[in-house]
């Protein structure tokens, strides 16, 4: 019979990671291993306080489901055991990995997806003073795609300094709900002037009606407002794209469903991540053939990654080995 192992892990960040809501110095993750005979499937999740999730809550939810998991559930059974988001994500990905190892076939093939290829990921610049972010941009100006964490006073100056110091890099912005309806148009105009291609979640989720019908020269992407398929109706008319993160959808199974549903509504797809190791990036990478933007740089922001790890050559991200996942 299957055996479940739940592990808490802490991975130091290289420096400090700051967004409009605050800062942190480590990635606190939960990993799940489901062992069945000689085969082991692995999954990783990041409980996120923004969605009222903590590591103890996620561990407790998985422990509560232990008897069912060790009784031999399938991925189709997971929604009846766990609410969407982190705990479901880790278990769903672990069962995908286990299924692949038993079948001797990669997950992308089992899921009916295109084989992932090497892809350029965004590289994130943490929110800081305009001068500090300008200096950081100069240091990484060789990277082809930069993601700028904004959402505080002085964002227009940050944009000017970053564009000046990284003139050849493509830019995307994540305001993390940090702007307001009264400065929205001005900030989107500043982004367009700086050549920004996409802005994530400029307004707070639940207070984003000002986006509806707003003329803009830059793509606006839902992040905190976008979770599973059930949230798509709320996004129509306000957003041009959605950021799909497995910790929000509750795993790869739901993420695939969401990606196809978004495509049917002509929404662009961004594949994103929480701050985590290569084990969390690996299943998300299966969605990259469907994505216009890829932001899977979590391991690049850590002091060290797990082993085996995804190979990053600069910002070029290679598909994971079967030894890692899938």
């Amino acid at each position: 019979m299957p055996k479940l192992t739940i592990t808490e892990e802490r991975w130091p960040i290289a420096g400090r990671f700051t967004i409009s809501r605050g800062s942190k110095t480590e990635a606190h993750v939960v990993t799940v291993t489901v062992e069945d005979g000689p085969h082991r499937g692995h999954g990783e999740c990041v409980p996120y306080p923004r969605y009222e999730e903590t590591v103890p809550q996620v561990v407790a939810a998985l422990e509560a489901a232990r008897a069912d998991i060790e009784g031999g559930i399938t991925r189709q059974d997971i929604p009846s055991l766990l609410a969407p988001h982190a705990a479901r994500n880790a278990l769903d990905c672990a069962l995908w990995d286990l299924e692949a190892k038993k079948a001797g076939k990669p997950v992308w093939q089992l899921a009916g997806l295109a084989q992932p290829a090497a892809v350029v990921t965004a590289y994130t610049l943490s929110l800081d003073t305009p001068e500090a972010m300008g200096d950081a941009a100069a240091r990484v100006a060789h990277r082809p795609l930069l993601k700028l964490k904004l959402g505080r006073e002085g964002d227009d100056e940050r944009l000017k300094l970053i564009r000046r110091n990284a003139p050849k890099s493509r830019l995307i912005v994540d305001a993390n709900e940090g702007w307001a309806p009264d400065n929205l148009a001005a900030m989107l105009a500043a982004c367009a002037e700086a050549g920004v291609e996409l802005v994530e979640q400029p307004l707070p989720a639940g207070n984003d009606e000002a986006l509806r019908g707003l003329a803009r020269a830059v793509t606006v992407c839902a992040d905190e407002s976008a979770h599973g398929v059930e949230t798509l109706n709320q996004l129509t008319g306000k957003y041009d794209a959605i950021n799909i993160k497995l910790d929000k959808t509750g795993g790869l199974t739901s993420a695939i469903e969401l990606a196809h549903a978004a495509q049917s509504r002509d929404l662009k797809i961004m594949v994103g991540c929480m701050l985590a190791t290569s084990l969390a990036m690996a299943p998300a990478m299966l969605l990259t053939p469907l994505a216009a933007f890829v932001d899977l740089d979590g391991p690049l922001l850590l002091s060290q990654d797990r082993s085996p790890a995804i190979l990053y050559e600069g910002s070029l991200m290679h598909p994971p080995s079967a030894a890692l996942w899938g």
Side-chain angles (χ1 to χ4, degrees), residues 240-263:
D240 313 300
I242 61 168
N243 187 344
I244 299 178
K245 297 177 180 176
L246 272 60
D247 279 311
K248 292 192 302 175
T249 65
L252 179 62
T253 301
S254 297
I256 294 170
E257 179 186 10
L258 177 59
H260 291 319
Q263 285 183 316

Side-chain angles (χ1 to χ4, degrees), residues 30-48:
V30 177
T31 62
V32 165
T33 299
V34 181
E35 183 177 354
D36 192 358
H39 305 291
R40 293 182 179 182
H42 304 282
E44 178 181 323
C45 70
V46 183
Y48 200 45

Side-chain angles (χ1 to χ4, degrees), residues 52-113:
E52 300 180 352
E53 291 188 306
T54 66
V55 167
Q57 287 173 339
V58 166
V59 171
L62 289 165
E63 287 290 0
R66 177 182 290 277
D68 292 288
I69 296 168
E70 295 187 335
I73 66 165
T74 66
R75 286 184 292 102
Q76 289 70 33
D77 300 318
I78 296 176
S80 66
L81 294 176
L82 296 166
H85 303 324
R88 187 189 291 186
N89 175 31
L91 180 58
D92 181 75
C93 290
L95 291 181
W96 269 115
D97 190 28
L98 181 63
E99 183 179 342
K101 288 178 168 59
K102 285 183 173 180
K105 296 180 179 180
V107 172
W108 65 263
Q109 194 172 53
L110 295 175
L113 298 171

Side-chain angles (χ1 to χ4, degrees), residues 59-270:
V59 171
L62 289 165
E63 287 290 0
R66 177 182 290 277
D68 292 288
I69 296 168
E70 295 187 335
I73 66 165
T74 66
R75 286 184 292 102
Q76 289 70 33
D77 300 318
I78 296 176
S80 66
L81 294 176
L82 296 166
H85 303 324
R88 187 189 291 186
N89 175 31
L91 180 58
D92 181 75
C93 290
L95 291 181
W96 269 115
D97 190 28
L98 181 63
E99 183 179 342
K101 288 178 168 59
K102 285 183 173 180
K105 296 180 179 180
V107 172
W108 65 263
Q109 194 172 53
L110 295 175
L113 298 171
Q115 182 175 5
V119 64
V120 170
T121 178
Y123 182 82
T124 302
L125 296 187
S126 188
L127 180 60
D128 208 327
T129 66
E131 293 76 16
M133 290 191 75
D135 291 343
R139 292 192 294 271
V140 297
H142 60 284
R143 292 188 180 271
L145 179 62
L146 299 180
K147 176 173 173 174
L148 320 177
K149 289 290 189 178
L150 301 182
R152 289 183 183 169
E153 187 71 26
D155 280 348
D156 51 352
E157 184 65 18
R158 290 181 179 90
L159 286 166
K160 292 175 183 177
L161 292 175
I162 290 167
R163 174 46 81 201
R164 185 184 71 188
N165 290 348
K168 296 182 179 179
S169 299
R170 297 169 58 208
L171 302 180
I172 57 179
V173 159
D174 187 359
N176 283 117
E177 305 178 280
W179 296 342
D182 60 1
N183 71 353
L184 175 63
M187 287 311 309
L188 290 178
C191 286
E193 184 176 352
V196 171
E197 298 179 23
L198 174 142
V199 174
E200 284 183 72
Q201 200 67 42
L203 301 178
N207 188 28
D208 55 5
E209 193 62 28
L211 288 167
R212 189 179 301 279
L214 178 69
R216 62 264 195 151
V218 58
T219 298
V220 178
C221 178
D223 184 1
E224 286 86 348
S225 290
H227 294 269
V229 171
E230 73 283 354
T231 62
L232 284 181
N233 286 340
Q234 305 166 27
L235 309 180
T236 302
K238 294 187 286 189
Y239 294 94
D240 313 300
I242 61 168
N243 187 344
I244 299 178
K245 297 177 180 176
L246 272 60
D247 279 311
K248 292 192 302 175
T249 65
L252 179 62
T253 301
S254 297
I256 294 170
E257 179 186 10
L258 177 59
H260 291 319
Q263 285 183 316
S264 72
R265 297 179 183 229
D266 294 324
L267 287 168
K268 294 180 181 178
I269 293 172
M270 179 180 187

